[in-house]
Amino acid sequence: MRNLTIILLSALVFVSCSRSNNLSNKHDYDIIIYGATPSGIAAAVNAASEGMHVALFEETDHIGGLTSGGLSNTDFLSFESLGGTWRDFMNGVVKHYADAYGENSQQVKDCWNGAYYEPKVARQVFMDMLGAYDKIVVKTNHRVVAATTILNENQHSNIKSLRLKDLETQQLFEVTASVFIDATYEGDLMAKAGCAYTLGSEGPEMYNEPAASQKDWHVQCYNFRVTLCQNPENSIPIPRPENYDSTAYELILNEIEAGSINTLRDIIRGQNRQIPNGKADFNDRKGSPISIKLCNETDVWPEGTAEVRAQIWEKAKNHTLGILYFLQNDSRLPGNIQSEMQRWNLPRDEFEEYGNFPPVIYVREGRRLIGRHVFTQHDGTPDGSVRAPAFHRAIAIGDYNFNSHGTYYTCDKTLLGNLGAVSAPFQVPFGVLLPKRVDNLLVSVAVSASRVGFGALRMEPTWTALGQAAGLAAALSVQSDQNPHEIDITELQRKLHQRGAYTFYTSDVTPESPYFEAIQFLGNRGLFQDMYPVDKMPKRKFVKLSDMAQWTEAYPLHDVKPEITMDNAMAEKWMKKLNIENQNLLNNAPEMTRGDFLNELCNIYRNKN
């Protein structure tokens, strides 16, 4: 059995015997980010907003990762979990459609406050965000091939430089920075830097997680999020892929005959989740015996060479086109399935430079850092509270269930690794970004988590929130001449809150509220964990938005009610929790709103600490 925990210095990592703990030496850039995913873009724009000189390197020629590469309906549960840079992106989507078609246009309605978007629009919004800062240098078609590290005074490593290959000129060159951020889906930079990481499932015994599967090294199956169009004037027929073999898809016919497949939606998802201009984002049908995911092939992707990944990418493309072509053209299919599939084709105005097919495969899971905090199922599950655990050092939140589309098909077509465990809105502590022994690196996508925990973190809004935190943390690191793990977490949280980012989930307090910063700050310190009795454990209420059944109303019993009048019992309880004695504040509490009291309490606590 392959060793799941990998702690190595790659042959391409060069370690010097010199020692340094000073970040202020002159470098080519203040901060280098590898991976132009939404997380990497968020890191870049937030670091630049602090005056940092930033370089964003991307191996492909594509900007925006999966979000501009086909994933066109955002994966989250409640809108109340979305803030910061991700909300800026959504607002940019709305503005684009309002400017292009009018504020009352169908396109504005169909984008659902910016949560649905065409890939080309997502890319343009990301480009506009990057273009707003002249301190950001964006370099596509650049692959990291090595990281040079040096030992610091604590016997930890700092990255000194990266060696990159310009894939257009084939030239090699080195770049230096004070702080580095790995925002790739695979964790390529952290591996080059010699960080400890893991692959696959640890098994239930490692972290005592009820939802954990057996210990193995399989990663989640990958697939494309395929943008299709039903407008005949903007459609290109789905091509018959090279080496097409209809027998590869006959399991569909067997399942139809057995009664487990009755409609197109039983095979692939997306037809009812339409995005603006008559398009839809087609996704794998989780749990289906056959869909567009590529299983038993993607385990080698995370550590595969560029050539190996290119081969897998091509297999996945042919598999996807093969299923779509089969569903449109095989006469053995029921008429209802075939006729519905025949309404959809490739969009003429998307991915034109890639043959109208998405350039990015959905890497649901790659390497996972083993960092200063490992996010597990317990961190997203209520235990002794209606809320998930509070973290003093929280730098983001998320709201999604523990989810996996499966990892491996056995010979009898049993799908291993399926996961769908319930969570509550959760806080994400700073430690998930921080390697244990490489001090000037932050990891914002391939973060430190168990496989189950990663199943809830692995959504673009959460990755983007973590990228925003990484960018601001890197800037604070440079400004204070400290390594990222040494920075003032309170100052990092303050900068996040000022930008409308959430570190604590509330259903009724938005960034526009005068109480937002205090409630976020105190929520991270556990003040609201017992506001409601645990025997009133809430249940989600799903809402119908464009037939999008995964979106929910705000999570129940997660409000703070800052507008109501404060009472002495609650005031005494909160002051005791924070170890604050202030008779004047206690006396005035009944004359104050809860929000005004919390503002005063927050100020006293900060001054005290």
Side-chain angles (χ1 to χ4, degrees):
M1 175 63 69
R2 181 175 176 171
N3 189 351
L4 294 179
T5 302
I6 302 170
I7 307 176
L8 78 160
L9 290 176
S10 164
L12 293 174
V13 179
F14 304 95
V15 182
S16 167
C17 292
S18 62
R19 300 179 186 274
S20 172
N21 199 38
N22 188 349
L23 296 177
S24 62
N25 296 326
K26 182 174 177 57
H27 298 293
D28 297 315
Y29 305 97
D30 294 315
I31 298 163
I32 288 176
I33 302 162
Y34 189 56
T37 60
S39 188
I41 293 167
V45 298
N46 279 273
S49 75
E50 289 288 307
M52 297 294 104
H53 190 196
V54 180
L56 175 60
F57 292 100
E58 164 61 35
E59 181 173 1
T60 72
D61 61 356
H62 177 74
I63 297 293
L66 192 68
T67 300
S68 58
L71 193 160
S72 298
N73 58 266
T74 309
D75 287 313
F76 63 89
L77 289 180
S78 61
F79 273 93
E80 289 74 15
S81 65
L82 307 176
T85 303
W86 184 263
R87 181 66 78 168
D88 294 340
F89 165 74
M90 291 172 65
N91 291 340
V93 169
V94 175
K95 184 178 185 302
H96 173 91
Y97 286 119
D99 290 347
Y101 302 100
E103 292 184 1
N104 297 317
S105 64
Q106 188 62 44
Q107 286 83 356
V108 169
K109 295 175 184 177
D110 288 346
C111 82
W112 290 100
N113 297 314
Y116 280 8
Y117 37 81
E118 297 165 275
K120 64 179 184 179
V121 172
R123 186 180 188 279
Q124 186 58 55
V125 172
F126 285 134
M127 294 298 291
D128 291 344
M129 293 170 73
L130 291 168
Y133 296 94
D134 58 10
K135 288 184 175 290
I136 300 176
V137 175
V138 180
K139 297 282 188 181
T140 58
N141 289 305
H142 281 67
R143 177 184 299 142
V144 64
V145 296
T148 301
T149 62
I150 56 176
L151 291 176
N152 62 31
E153 294 175 354
N154 299 318
Q155 298 297 310
H156 290 192
S157 296
N158 275 21
I159 300 175
K160 179 182 178 183
S161 65
L162 300 183
R163 180 172 295 180
L164 293 153
K165 184 176 185 179
D166 184 329
L167 300 179
E168 293 180 348
T169 66
Q170 302 303 306
Q171 295 297 308
L172 293 172
F173 63 96
E174 289 198 6
V175 288
T176 61
S178 294
V179 182
F180 298 80
I181 297 172
D182 184 341
T184 63
Y185 293 118
E186 296 87 356
D188 286 339
L189 175 54
M190 73 174 188
K192 290 283 192 286
C195 294
Y197 62 85
T198 188
L199 286 164
S201 173
E202 300 89 349
E205 66 283 350
M206 183 74 172
Y207 299 112
N208 192 29
E209 296 172 297
S213 61
Q214 66 183 31
K215 183 177 181 179
D216 61 44
W217 61 281
H218 301 305
V219 300
Q220 277 195 70
C221 305
Y222 301 171
N223 63 265
F224 290 97
R225 297 292 290 258
V226 187
T227 305
L228 297 180
C229 179
Q230 59 180 345
N231 178 1
E233 297 179 359
N234 191 36
S235 292
I236 296 174
I238 292 171
R240 178 188 174 104
E242 187 177 350
N243 301 320
Y244 173 75
D245 180 4
S246 65
T247 63
Y249 314 108
E250 288 184 346
L251 180 59
I252 293 174
L253 300 175
N254 297 339
E255 295 296 323
I256 290 171
E257 185 175 347
S260 60
I261 290 178
N262 298 292
T263 68
L264 185 59
R265 289 175 177 81
D266 295 328
I267 307 168
I268 49 179
R269 302 168 62 202
Q271 311 88 294
N272 60 330
R273 302 181 181 188
Q274 294 189 33
I275 59 181
N277 292 317
K279 300 171 187 173
D281 162 10
F282 280 66
N283 188 18
D284 174 67
R285 167 58 71 183
K286 180 185 174 187
S288 174
I290 182 169
S291 190
I292 61 174
K293 61 177 170 278
L294 185 70
C295 281
N296 301 22
E297 301 276 358
T298 51
D299 286 338
V300 296
W301 178 285
E303 299 197 275
T305 63
E307 292 73 22
V308 167
R309 290 180 181 176
Q311 291 169 5
I312 296 170
W313 189 95
E314 197 63 35
K315 284 183 181 179
K317 178 182 178 180
N318 286 334
H319 171 69
T320 302
L321 288 175
I323 283 186
L324 298 179
Y325 185 86
F326 175 84
L327 292 171
Q328 280 192 342
N329 295 282
D330 199 290
S331 60
R332 294 171 291 176
L333 288 162
N336 67 308
I337 293 178
Q338 193 169 63
S339 62
E340 184 170 2
M341 190 66 238
Q342 287 172 349
R343 293 168 44 209
W344 298 95
N345 284 294
L346 298 177
R348 188 180 300 275
D349 62 346
E350 295 283 357
F351 313 124
E352 296 173 64
E353 63 273 46
Y354 307 105
N356 306 101
F357 190 82
V360 182
I361 196 170
Y362 195 169
V363 178
R364 287 190 167 89
E365 181 184 319
R367 303 177 182 92
R368 300 193 310 278
L369 175 71
I370 300 176
R372 292 172 182 256
H373 181 97
V374 179
F375 187 93
T376 70
Q377 184 177 0
H378 304 291
D379 295 330
T381 305
D383 183 14
S385 169
V386 299
R387 290 181 170 275
F391 288 104
H392 173 91
R393 292 172 62 82
I395 42 84
I397 64 170
D399 189 15
Y400 206 80
N401 290 331
F402 303 103
N403 175 277
S404 169
H405 278 236
T407 59
Y408 194 83
Y409 275 124
T410 62
C411 294
D412 63 355
K413 285 298 179 181
T414 299
L415 181 61
L416 305 178
N418 238 332
L419 174 61
V422 174
S423 70
F426 51 83
Q427 301 173 36
V428 187
F430 190 32
V432 305
L433 307 182
L434 300 172
K436 289 182 177 180
R437 302 188 66 83
V438 181
D439 286 346
N440 67 335
L441 173 67
L442 295 133
V443 181
S444 63
V445 176
V447 294
S448 177
S450 68
R451 186 171 171 273
V452 176
F454 194 78
L457 292 175
R458 64 170 190 86
M459 303 300 155
E460 295 288 3
T462 308
W463 278 334
T464 302
L466 295 173
Q468 179 171 21
L472 291 173
L476 279 171
S477 174
V478 174
Q479 291 163 352
S480 63
D481 196 23
Q482 296 175 301
N483 284 308
H485 70 272
E486 300 169 319
I487 64 172
D488 183 352
I489 192 68
T490 298
E491 180 64 10
L492 174 57
Q493 289 171 336
R494 185 183 69 83
K495 288 181 180 292
L496 287 164
H497 300 156
Q498 288 177 341
R499 290 163 171 80
Y502 293 101
T503 60
F504 172 74
Y505 183 96
T506 61
S507 59
D508 62 343
V509 183
T510 66
E512 293 74 29
S513 167
Y515 313 119
F516 175 74
E517 290 191 41
I519 288 171
Q520 291 290 307
F521 179 86
L522 295 173
N524 294 143
R525 284 142 187 88
L527 198 67
F528 310 113
Q529 292 299 106
D530 56 357
M531 275 189 66
Y532 290 98
V534 72
D535 60 355
K536 291 186 177 181
M537 191 62 66
K539 292 184 178 179
R540 288 191 182 274
K541 183 177 180 181
F542 287 84
V543 291
K544 281 286 186 181
L545 296 176
S546 184
D547 291 326
M548 180 61 174
Q550 78 169 12
W551 288 348
T552 71
E553 293 183 351
Y555 201 77
L557 307 187
H558 278 51
D559 53 358
V560 177
K561 295 186 173 68
E563 74 285 350
I564 68 173
T565 301
M566 195 62 202
D567 65 84
N568 275 93
M570 185 73 78
E572 287 184 11
K573 179 179 178 181
W574 283 348
M575 292 173 71
K576 184 177 180 180
K577 258 192 173 184
L578 297 176
N579 197 26
I580 289 173
E581 295 182 6
N582 189 308
Q583 191 62 45
N584 186 53
L585 178 61
L586 187 60
N587 291 340
N588 291 334
E591 307 300 321
M592 306 172 73
T593 66
R594 184 178 284 180
D596 289 334
F597 178 85
L598 288 168
N599 276 351
E600 288 293 326
L601 192 63
C602 184
N603 288 333
I604 293 170
Y605 180 82
R606 281 175 163 164
N607 291 333
K608 178 184 175 182
N609 294 278

